[in-house]
Amino acid sequence: MAEWVYPYGTAADGDWQVSLGAHDSSTRVEGWAHTGLKVATLAPGGSVSLDAAAEERIVVPLEGSFTVTVDGEEHELRGRRSVFHGATDVLYTGIGKAATVRTAGGGRVAVALAPAKAEYPTRLVRAEETPLELRGAGNCSRQVHNFGTPAALEADRFIVCEVITPAGNWSSYPPHKHDEEKDGETALEEIYYFETRLAEGSPVPAGSPAGTDPLGYVRVSASDERPIDICGEVRTGDVVLVPYGWHGPAMAAPGYDMYYLNVMAGPGRVREWLISDDEHHGWVRTTWEGVDVDPRLPFTA
């Protein structure tokens, strides 16, 4: 299922180290229609440009701070030290608008996108406005920044959030799906963009190459007759596409924290994240009752 998994560098396009699902992406994914992602690493003083297109976009600093110019107006995104240092300012650009993203100090930036038709205004969402959710409990605890969800952002098609999973924890669990339009479920494609790091305070023995290979694992499997079978390692810069099927868990290996940016959208009438749990594993949610959230959370600046 190589068409659904893109290790770092395999979906690069010009200035973008990741360019998937955009109107101008050179990498074409058969059957992929509703979501897209671009990621760029910029040197100090660097910039990237996005031309006007029928795509709604949200600019997400991953590392560093950025200035985004839309319709001649500059928007300052204060950014962050890394994705493991709390929420960041993000900018929703709306559709049909060219944008330039530049940085004085260098950094890494993501642009989540979706083909769209309805117009919504450009909006700067500050870090302090971002809804922070601590989801799950125990070793299923994770931190979610819901800056691009229906409750937080007016938009046409996409739902965008980011998740931080502490070392040794499981997220996107129990396995769930959103691949049908029916009562209690919406059909949504989903993109996972991953970053990993050596967890702070991890005791690395003398002589070990500290932090040289932070990794995690991800699982996607079939929910019906459509074949999909993904179970593999992920590292910083890797992308996994979920066109359908059960997905989860996303596992942060012991010693390594995991981050992922989620981009979801679909053909349905309603912009809403409605899921069905895998009937074999949904019971796990009941075990969280009365269990504390992992004390390492929340990760902040």
Side-chain angles (χ1 to χ4, degrees):
M1 294 297 166
E3 66 269 34
W4 307 128
V5 180
Y6 292 85
Y8 175 82
T10 60
D13 189 2
D15 293 331
W16 302 95
Q17 69 193 51
V18 174
S19 183
L20 289 167
H23 77 284
D24 59 354
S25 295
S26 59
T27 299
R28 297 297 174 182
V29 183
E30 185 177 354
W32 197 258
H34 303 290
T35 56
L37 177 72
K38 288 176 172 283
V39 179
T41 300
L42 301 178
S47 67
V48 285
S49 295
L50 300 155
D51 59 6
E55 297 171 346
E56 58 182 351
R57 299 162 174 157
I58 191 163
V59 181
V60 183
L62 302 172
E63 178 182 323
S65 57
F66 298 85
T67 301
V68 185
T69 303
V70 180
D71 289 339
E73 183 177 357
E74 291 189 347
H75 305 269
E76 299 294 335
L77 306 186
R78 292 169 295 176
R80 52 191 167 183
R81 178 179 165 192
S82 81
V83 295
F84 300 101
H85 289 81
T88 178
D89 300 341
V90 302
L91 183 73
Y92 175 77
T93 70
I95 64 169
K97 296 180 180 180
T100 300
V101 182
R102 66 182 188 275
T103 176
R108 190 164 56 258
V109 65
V111 181
L113 60 95
K117 296 179 180 179
E119 293 188 20
Y120 289 87
T122 298
R123 181 183 166 197
L124 176 63
V125 181
R126 291 293 189 189
E128 54 269 24
E129 298 176 73
T130 297
L132 187 153
E133 177 187 1
L134 299 183
R135 188 178 296 170
N139 67 350
C140 290
S141 301
R142 57 272 204 190
Q143 175 174 336
V144 187
H145 298 150
N146 288 311
F147 52 75
T149 59
L153 178 71
E154 283 192 313
D156 183 18
R157 303 305 307 168
F158 64 17
I159 299 169
V160 187
C161 66
E162 57 186 10
V163 181
I164 303 168
T165 309
N169 284 11
W170 288 32
S171 58
S172 283
Y173 194 75
H176 57 281
K177 72 181 186 77
H178 37 72
D179 58 13
E180 295 181 85
E181 286 291 327
K182 64 179 186 180
D183 288 345
E185 186 176 334
T186 45
L188 301 168
E189 290 178 348
E190 185 163 8
I191 298 173
Y192 281 70
Y193 166 79
F194 291 93
E195 299 207 358
T196 53
R197 71 163 185 181
L198 179 70
E200 291 184 352
S202 292
V204 180
S208 297
T212 57
D213 193 25
L215 81 167
Y217 294 85
V218 67
R219 175 72 172 136
V220 185
S221 59
S223 60
D224 52 30
E225 73 282 355
R226 294 171 292 181
I228 189 166
D229 189 2
I230 299 167
C231 186
E233 296 178 353
V234 289
R235 296 171 174 81
T236 293
D238 293 350
V239 178
V240 174
L241 306 182
V242 182
Y244 47 78
W246 304 116
H247 44 289
M251 298 165 279
Y256 304 113
D257 297 325
M258 171 190 282
Y259 162 96
Y260 49 86
L261 177 66
N262 278 150
V263 189
M264 293 173 278
R269 181 174 52 85
V270 179
R271 177 182 170 241
E272 193 169 5
W273 183 64
L274 299 177
I275 66 170
S276 296
D277 280 340
D278 186 323
E279 61 188 12
H280 298 100
H281 307 295
W283 64 270
V284 172
R285 292 188 189 275
T286 66
T287 67
W288 301 340
E289 296 174 8
V291 179
D292 290 339
V293 171
D294 190 315
R296 291 175 291 180
L297 297 176
F299 286 19
T300 68

